[in-house]
Amino acid sequence: MRYLTLLLILISSFHYAKAQEPEKPKPPTTTDAELRNVVMPQVRTQDTTIRRIMEELQRINDSDKQNSNAIQGLLQGREIDNITKYELIRNNIVFASETYYLLNKKIIDLKSRTTTNNLDVFITSLNNPESKELGFSLSDRIVELVEKVVLKGKADKNEKNGKIVESTKSIIASPIFQSFTSLTPPLAIANSVMNFLHSISVNNKEINQNTLKEFEKELNKYVVYYTALNDANQKFEYGLNFNKDQLNLLQDNLYDHIMFTASALKFQLPQRGNKSIGETLNDFFFDFKRDKVVTYFNDLETKYTKGRKIDYEALLRENPNLKEVNNQLEDLVLQTKRFENLYNEYFTLLDSYYGKVNSSLKIAQDNGLADKNTIDTKQAEFRNLKDEAVKEIQASINIKELYNNTDKIKYRYRIF
């Protein structure tokens, strides 16, 4: 209709212009022969004007089509862009909900680890003054040294010597040493016996300084072994405690991140109260889990469906919280990387501990406390127990499960 109106206006203008033109004088009459000998140009002004009008109309029509196609292309591209943004956000948050759960579960598991029961029993037995794991009992050896070195084999010669032996046995059997935390029981016992002998040497002329030095020299062979074993235990315990502190800090950060996400998605926030973070999050994951997050997005899509089509532009515009959650997921991924580091640190600690315990066993061999075959057997037993502990922890935590889920989060794509 627009084009027809334009055509009528142009034609009317043309006729008006023709009507305004002055009438031209008629040419003189000529004969047919003259007409044949003279060729006159054929000027058809009306036809030329109409043709130009039609060409102009075609040009306008073509331009309108191009503009319409361009506009449709832009609109379609914008719609596709919104779909892509939404699908990226949805997938990321769904995968993140599973990552939250897995990361919390594995933090709790690693925090509960020291070693394994079998490995703990092995180390405890080596550190027990009554144990004969290496072919001797420290308690018996100390009594023997007192009788042979300090009392010169005269333990039963008089009542005074008998009391010294009984007092030594009493010191060794004292339950107070079991409560020592700074030293292992063997070291505490050795120190106490030495202090006892020094105190009685003041009034006992038969126990002189040379005798005490000889006794101390022999006792130190055991002290060096137990000191090395104690050093291994203390450094391993210190490393475990530091690792656990870092895991606690990581869990605090995870809790804060979950609070942000749950609030943005309008989920009920975890109620901590007097409970630990681990307990709080375990309770929270009964509601905040993958299938509930999927349901959340399904409901959101239903709300913004018009006819049979989802209005993604309105969905994203009216729910900016989705973009905020998506753009914070890099922090969650970094938390999983931090857990991976702490997980690997645990096995580094275990390797270091294994090396130090083996070194202490070698000291026992070098000092003649146990023969080579006994030490080799114990080192092989310790290696097997350590390998079993590693496999058990790896199977329990299953770090690959966390890797695979985290890799699905496209956290590098930020939505604005």
Side-chain angles (χ1 to χ4, degrees), residues 76-258:
Q76 185 179 10
R78 184 174 181 178
E79 182 178 356
I80 292 173
D81 186 51
N82 286 327
I83 294 174
T84 302
K85 287 180 180 179
Y86 173 75
E87 289 181 346
L88 177 66
I89 291 172
R90 174 182 170 129
N91 290 336
N92 276 350
I93 296 177
V94 169
F95 290 132
S97 66
E98 185 71 11
T99 302
Y100 285 131
Y101 169 76
L102 291 174
L103 182 55
N104 181 63
K105 177 177 178 293
K106 295 178 191 308
I107 288 174
I108 292 174
D109 196 342
L110 189 56
K111 279 203 307 183
S112 67
R113 297 287 174 174
T114 51
T115 52
T116 62
N117 289 336
N118 291 336
L119 199 56
D120 288 340
V121 169
F122 176 85
I123 295 298
T124 301
S125 67
L126 289 180
N127 208 32
N128 183 356
E130 303 296 329
S131 171
K132 295 185 178 182
E133 287 293 319
L134 297 184
F136 67 87
S137 161
L138 178 64
S139 299
D140 293 342
R141 289 289 177 91
I142 290 177
V143 173
E144 290 173 8
L145 288 175
V146 169
E147 291 176 340
K148 293 179 180 179
V149 177
V150 177
L151 302 179
K152 308 296 184 181
K154 302 176 181 178
D156 56 352
K157 293 298 182 179
N158 55 56
E159 184 180 354
K160 183 184 293 186
N161 288 350
K163 287 182 177 180
I164 291 174
V165 173
E166 291 304 317
S167 295
T168 300
K169 290 180 180 180
S170 178
I171 291 172
I172 294 172
S174 176
I176 194 173
F177 296 121
Q178 304 303 319
S179 63
F180 282 15
T181 56
S182 59
L183 294 172
T184 61
L187 295 179
I189 290 170
N191 286 335
S192 295
V193 171
M194 279 300 305
N195 290 334
F196 165 68
L197 294 176
H198 276 290
S199 66
I200 64 173
S201 68
V202 175
N203 298 318
N204 192 328
K205 296 181 180 180
E206 296 182 3
I207 304 176
N208 55 43
Q209 292 302 312
N210 290 332
T211 298
L212 290 177
K213 285 182 180 179
E214 185 180 353
F215 173 80
E216 188 172 8
K217 178 181 177 182
E218 292 300 317
L219 183 60
N220 276 343
K221 295 179 180 179
Y222 298 90
V223 170
V224 171
Y225 159 66
Y226 284 109
T227 298
L229 185 60
N230 182 58
D231 179 65
N233 291 333
Q234 285 190 336
K235 287 184 177 178
F236 184 57
E237 184 178 359
Y238 175 81
L240 286 178
N241 288 335
F242 180 79
N243 189 269
K244 189 175 294 185
D245 288 341
Q246 294 301 304
L247 287 168
N248 285 330
L249 180 60
L250 177 60
Q251 199 167 31
D252 285 338
N253 293 335
L254 177 63
Y255 177 82
D256 291 340
H257 202 283
I258 289 175

Side-chain angles (χ1 to χ4, degrees), residues 196-395:
F196 165 68
L197 294 176
H198 276 290
S199 66
I200 64 173
S201 68
V202 175
N203 298 318
N204 192 328
K205 296 181 180 180
E206 296 182 3
I207 304 176
N208 55 43
Q209 292 302 312
N210 290 332
T211 298
L212 290 177
K213 285 182 180 179
E214 185 180 353
F215 173 80
E216 188 172 8
K217 178 181 177 182
E218 292 300 317
L219 183 60
N220 276 343
K221 295 179 180 179
Y222 298 90
V223 170
V224 171
Y225 159 66
Y226 284 109
T227 298
L229 185 60
N230 182 58
D231 179 65
N233 291 333
Q234 285 190 336
K235 287 184 177 178
F236 184 57
E237 184 178 359
Y238 175 81
L240 286 178
N241 288 335
F242 180 79
N243 189 269
K244 189 175 294 185
D245 288 341
Q246 294 301 304
L247 287 168
N248 285 330
L249 180 60
L250 177 60
Q251 199 167 31
D252 285 338
N253 293 335
L254 177 63
Y255 177 82
D256 291 340
H257 202 283
I258 289 175
M259 289 284 285
F260 167 78
T261 300
S263 176
L265 297 182
K266 299 179 176 59
F267 275 78
Q268 185 175 356
L269 300 182
Q271 302 300 314
R272 185 170 180 181
N274 295 325
K275 296 183 294 186
S276 67
I277 289 183
E279 288 180 281
T280 303
L281 292 179
N282 280 338
D283 293 341
F284 177 62
F285 286 125
F286 281 112
D287 291 320
F288 188 79
K289 50 188 176 182
R290 183 189 177 102
D291 59 340
K292 293 292 183 68
V293 175
V294 169
T295 299
Y296 167 83
F297 280 105
N298 289 342
D299 292 343
L300 200 61
E301 291 168 15
T302 300
K303 178 181 177 181
Y304 286 91
T305 297
K306 298 178 180 179
R308 296 184 178 181
K309 189 176 181 181
I310 300 173
D311 189 345
Y312 291 102
E313 182 178 4
L315 190 157
L316 292 174
R317 184 180 63 252
E318 296 174 12
N319 296 276
N321 53 306
L322 298 179
K323 296 179 183 179
E324 293 175 8
V325 172
N326 180 81
N327 294 343
Q328 293 294 324
L329 290 180
E330 182 177 6
D331 184 50
L332 174 60
V333 174
L334 290 176
Q335 289 183 31
T336 65
K337 301 298 183 186
R338 178 58 180 150
F339 176 78
E340 178 185 346
N341 290 337
L342 293 173
Y343 173 81
N344 290 330
E345 278 182 21
Y346 176 84
F347 295 110
T348 300
L349 283 171
L350 199 55
D351 286 339
S352 175
Y353 184 48
Y354 170 74
K356 290 182 180 299
V357 171
N358 277 338
S359 295
S360 67
L361 290 173
K362 186 66 167 57
I363 290 172
Q365 177 185 326
D366 293 343
N367 287 347
L369 309 184
D371 60 59
K372 185 177 184 303
N373 289 336
T374 300
I375 296 301
D376 288 345
T377 300
K378 284 300 170 183
Q379 287 180 331
E381 181 183 350
F382 185 50
R383 181 177 61 251
N384 291 335
L385 291 172
K386 180 249 185 183
D387 291 343
E388 287 177 7
V390 168
K391 290 177 182 178
E392 180 183 326
I393 295 169
Q394 288 175 337

